[in-house]
Amino acid sequence: MLKVTKKEFWFVVGSQHLYGEEALRSVKKDAEEMVETLNKSKNLPYPLVLKELAITADTITEIMKEANYRDEVAGIITWMHTFSPAKMWIRGTKLLQKPLLHLATQFNESIPWKTIDMDFMNLNQSAHGDREYGFINARLGKQNKIVVGHWKREHVVNEIADWMDVAVANGESFNIKIARFGDNMRNVGVTEGDKVEAQIQFGWVVDYFGIGDLVSVIDAVTDEEIDALFDEYMRLYDFEYGSYDQKVWEAHVKVQARQEIGMRRFLEQGNYNGFTTNFEDLYGMQQLPGLSVQRLMAEGYGFAGEGDWKTAAIDRLMKVMAHNENTGFMEDYTYELAAGKEAILQSHMMEVDPTLAVNKPKIIVSPLSMGNREDPARLVFDGKAGNGVVVSMADFGTHYKLLVNEVSLFEPKEPAPNLPVARVLWEVKPGFHEGVHSWIQAGGGHHTVVSLNITTDQILTWARLVGLETTVIK
Ligand code: MN
């Protein structure tokens, strides 16, 4: 489902008429080679499209206006091959509403001391041009990204690639639509928030539905559809019957299959790419959605429990940024406090994202201590190891705040035969006591999104684009 429509980035090269036609032909030739090489390298997640040389204010303004208008253009990358007087850039830059990256690079990597003359200097004066152009972006308060280094260097290409993912996620943020099946969990504070402000600031549409609207779609799912999906479960997952009779077990799993098909249908009909559930609001449902939610998470839907639409939207946003790899909704559950082993066990009642699984998930049916419904089926697995970033958004009454903590995930070493949920373990940076203290003091929530494929810098780049206050713990 993780559908992001076709995107591209426009590459705009700054120069001016002063150096003559021959110099401009060289600028164009170098720009073509740069774009062709970067596109062919396949190291960028989206293609670059070279636009005409930015040598007049009118040309620059036209390019930026066109970029705003075209949905497929996710952002602009600029490069100053020569000096390019910055007053020419004011009108276009002010109009530009898409993310902007200033690539501070130069065509040649080294200075050719044996042959360098004034013609060469005039043609290759990126150091000069970068400062003139950078000044106007700074003065305009443009929240642009600056990437510095030779354009063939791996770290430069990686920085551009990371920024492209942020730019696409930022654009897609304005296509995030969350369906809330039921309201927020009663009495819980951190899952609340100002939906109007969230739509103004981040573009999120958050719609409530009474649970009966969903139940009627779930009830209309046919037995044939359920059997076909059950066969798919059999191919993908291990089945663990536990103390259940096999027939009873299968019946419980098929309730989740019915929910999965019904929820997907409901979300597709309304063009929703994220949703919430609430175990307090299950009228007409046989089970709290568990396995069904996990399957939709794996497809790229944003999700959070207990009506937490903010975290569901952040989940969707980060899934777009991470190409739906190793990214999902999470909840801080239980501390490991033994000296030298301090960590936090992450999980949820059932809804842990299978994109984080290190092993083949197994389906388990188990009672749920909350919710007053029949024993629900869920996917159980262990989480992957690696360095990651965990993010939580909270409404502080006057503004939204984003908490970011760098974490180090590790695989559990000991089995937990009585734990009927997926588990993810991590150590927090800079250290357990300082990290946990900072998180709590800053008001970070218990619902988060974790990703092994996103960097703190990417999160902060997005936060700057939407004017979001951040607290970073690392
Ligand atoms: Mn929760």
Side-chain angles (χ1 to χ4, degrees), residues 17-72:
H17 277 297
L18 209 63
Y19 312 112
E21 287 308 310
E22 199 188 324
L24 290 178
R25 272 194 295 276
S26 296
V27 169
K28 187 161 181 275
K29 193 171 133 293
D30 292 348
E32 284 166 352
E33 186 180 331
M34 193 184 283
V35 165
E36 199 186 326
T37 305
L38 287 167
N39 281 337
K40 272 189 179 164
S41 76
K42 307 245 182 261
N43 293 323
L44 296 179
Y46 302 94
L48 291 171
V49 176
L50 180 63
K51 303 308 288 183
E52 64 179 296
L53 294 183
I55 47 179
T56 70
D58 285 347
T59 303
I60 294 165
T61 302
E62 280 312 306
I63 291 172
M64 301 307 176
K65 279 161 68 177
E66 188 74 7
N68 284 341
Y69 169 75
R70 289 184 180 240
D71 284 342
E72 74 272 23

Side-chain angles (χ1 to χ4, degrees), residues 395-461:
D395 183 347
F396 274 73
T398 51
H399 62 289
Y400 279 108
K401 187 157 93 171
L402 195 71
L403 262 90
V404 187
N405 196 175
E406 293 185 353
V407 291
S408 180
L409 285 72
F410 60 97
E411 289 178 35
K413 289 172 198 75
E414 293 173 67
N418 296 321
L419 190 66
V421 286
R423 54 182 179 158
V424 172
L425 275 160
W426 67 57
E427 294 167 350
V428 304
K429 293 179 182 174
F432 181 81
H433 296 95
E434 191 181 339
V436 171
H437 184 274
S438 300
W439 183 272
I440 294 170
Q441 188 165 49
H446 53 85
H447 278 176
T448 63
V449 178
V450 69
S451 178
L452 291 165
N453 287 50
I454 294 174
T455 64
T456 301
D457 186 64
Q458 284 180 292
I459 296 292
L460 296 183
T461 301

Side-chain angles (χ1 to χ4, degrees), residues 11 83 118 120 145 266 269 335 387 391 409-410 433 470:
F11 196 76
F83 192 81
M118 273 321 286
F120 182 92
K145 178 82 177 169
F266 189 102
Q269 280 166 1
Y335 291 129
N387 287 318
V391 167
L409 285 72
F410 60 97
H433 296 95
T470 51

Side-chain angles (χ1 to χ4, degrees), residues 155-170:
H155 78 89
V156 170
V157 177
N158 288 346
E159 280 183 59
I160 297 170
D162 283 355
W163 173 82
M164 281 180 161
D165 285 335
V166 174
V168 167
N170 180 66

